Amino acid sequence: MNQSFKSGFVTLIGRPNVGKSTLMNRLIGQKIAITSKKPQTTRNRIQTVYTDEEKGQIVFLDTPGIHKAKNKLGEYMVNVAERTLNEVDVVLWLVEPTNYIGAGEQHILEKLRRVKTPVILVINKTDMVKKEEILSYIDTYRKEYDFAEIVPLSALRGQNTEILVDLIFKYLPYGPMFYDEDTITDQPERQIVAELIREKALHALSEEIPHGIAVTIERMKERENGKLIDIDATIICERDSHKGIIVGKGGNMLKKIGTNARYEIERLLDSKVNLKLWVKVKKDWRDSDFLIKNFGYREDEDY
């Protein structure tokens, strides 16, 4: 065993849409976390694994965005995110490049002041601003909190992401791997497939619907010849009117979601896929403890 090998847990936090999932996918080099410009894209804590055979292994926890909760699902998501802060070796806080620290960021700063974990501030989306402005953004945040490190980068372009990885290793304890080197995620395939379908629905649908959808996989079975995987999935929505929009005129919208999702799922599973989608209405499922658990959001899981 390499004596200089380090391993530990790192969580990514930040307001919705700052690019947490994009950064995760960039670092791991494979699409695990779904990305969308709509808030509340990431609902569960997704574990992904980065292994460097020389330096060590980083287990990333991509948590739901920390925000003020509006319903049971929101409360669940915030609890998961906040609990993680004390359980990891390093906290990565992603922010956008700006001199204005808004209420959402102040809310996160309050949470960070209560933790003893080293915090690395990541100023993302630096490809969107002038180079000379970046120093002033660093200065704005430096005055608010004693960060272990501050790293400006672009997750989308992959700028400075290697520097970030090196800095994370600096703060990890020495120790053996948690996962073998081929592992890139602890998410079961069914969960990733459900998330990919939800991502494609988020991309295709209008603003007001996506928050209120969940996806369940009813069946996922490989055929005997091993050349095709049959997947039956249900998109759950909150209203009959939403169901009509998701299905679309003559089933067009559902077909579009299915086609886009199938393409990604085939890449993930490296197999041809026969995907069948249904849409069901479960009124106000986001405020029902039973239904939230039923759709795979469990707060009491051991990580």
Side-chain angles (χ1 to χ4, degrees), residues 114-127:
R114 294 182 213 157
V115 304
K116 294 185 170 65
T117 316
V119 180
I120 296 178
L121 180 73
V122 177
I123 301 175
N124 190 23
K125 306 185 184 179
T126 53
D127 54 310

Side-chain angles (χ1 to χ4, degrees), residues 22-68:
T22 305
L23 179 62
M24 176 88 85
N25 292 335
R26 165 68 64 180
L27 294 175
I28 303 300
Q30 191 156 344
K31 185 161 182 173
I32 301 295
I34 70 169
T35 57
S36 154
K37 289 192 167 56
K38 289 161 181 155
Q40 298 194 7
T41 304
T42 305
R43 286 185 182 157
N44 273 336
R45 181 155 62 164
I46 296 173
Q47 239 170 249
T48 47
V49 184
Y50 174 96
T51 306
D52 179 308
E53 284 169 23
E54 294 301 311
K55 295 176 190 163
Q57 188 173 74
I58 307 169
V59 182
F60 287 102
L61 306 175
D62 181 15
T63 62
I66 294 177
H67 58 284
K68 288 217 169 17

Side-chain angles (χ1 to χ4, degrees), residues 142-178:
R142 199 172 48 80
K143 289 171 183 161
E144 294 290 327
Y145 186 88
D146 185 18
F147 294 102
E149 307 282 349
I150 297 179
V151 185
L153 58 74
S154 165
L156 193 64
R157 306 255 180 274
Q159 292 159 354
N160 275 3
T161 49
E162 285 170 20
I163 291 170
L164 176 64
V165 169
D166 286 342
L167 287 172
I168 291 168
F169 275 123
K170 183 174 152 185
Y171 292 92
L172 294 188
Y174 291 98
M177 289 187 189
F178 293 99

Side-chain angles (χ1 to χ4, degrees), residues 288-301:
S288 154
D289 280 332
F290 171 72
L291 289 178
I292 288 173
K293 284 194 172 58
N294 203 24
F295 297 149
Y297 306 116
R298 299 178 196 283
E299 204 171 337
D300 54 358
E301 283 179 17

